[in-house]
Amino acid sequence: MSIEAHASEHFLYIIAVSQEGRLRSPVKVGITANPRARLRTIQTGSAAPLDFVWVFALPTIDVARSIERAFHRALEHARLTGEWFDMDPERALRLLCVTIQIQCLRAFRDQDIDLFHEALEDTGVPKALASIGFRPCDLRGVL
């Protein structure tokens, strides 16, 4: 995933502990304007090495906050402290992708479904899901 490839200034990220080349629990889900700087800052306070699970580019800070809040609320039961969750990184990625899809559907419910798919593509959700062997549902034939 190339963070610089996105024109967005609003990013939603998942960070996890990196042990022996594998990402492990706990995970942190948050928003930032500069993912690399944010990872460096978080790493400073962590005894364990950290790395990105995924970084999503989002069109506005309001969209990023809305998705972050929805994810945090839905997974309150797994919260350790702050924005840290006791969760497998792959599961966190799948759940965050679903959260983004739901938020996009809400935002585009009264508009052309092609606009929904275009917006979803811009977030990076299809690539994130493909990286772990999942494929987002194409709703053009459903809705």
Side-chain angles (χ1 to χ4, degrees):
M1 119 203 63
S2 174
I3 295 169
E4 292 81 20
H6 298 283
S8 174
E9 293 183 19
H10 313 286
F11 297 91
L12 183 65
Y13 61 82
I14 306 174
I15 290 174
V17 171
S18 179
Q19 278 184 332
E20 300 172 4
R22 292 188 47 109
L23 295 172
R24 304 190 184 282
S25 181
V27 297
K28 181 180 186 317
V29 175
I31 55 177
T32 185
N34 187 331
R36 293 193 194 287
R38 185 69 180 129
L39 179 61
R40 282 192 302 273
T41 300
I42 296 167
Q43 184 63 71
T44 299
S46 176
L50 304 172
D51 203 356
F52 288 112
V53 176
W54 203 268
V55 178
F56 297 94
L58 298 168
T60 68
I61 191 69
D62 292 336
V63 170
R65 283 186 183 132
S66 172
I67 294 167
E68 178 191 39
R69 275 193 304 268
F71 181 88
H72 287 180
R73 273 193 311 271
L75 296 166
E76 187 62 39
H77 66 280
R79 188 186 301 264
L80 296 171
T81 184
E83 296 179 337
W84 288 93
F85 296 85
D86 183 18
M87 180 174 294
D88 175 76
E90 186 175 302
R91 181 167 184 249
L93 178 58
R94 285 194 313 264
L95 293 172
L96 190 54
C97 286
V98 168
T99 303
I100 292 170
Q101 288 177 309
I102 290 168
Q103 294 296 321
C104 283
L105 273 173
R106 287 182 179 150
F108 289 92
R109 69 177 153 234
D110 296 327
Q111 298 179 31
D112 185 340
I113 196 68
D114 289 329
L115 291 175
F116 162 76
H117 282 281
E118 185 178 315
L120 196 57
E121 185 71 35
D122 289 346
T123 67
V125 167
K127 288 181 184 173
L129 288 171
S131 77
I132 56 174
F134 287 83
R135 189 171 73 68
C137 179
D138 185 336
L139 299 176
R140 281 175 269 231
V142 178
L143 297 179

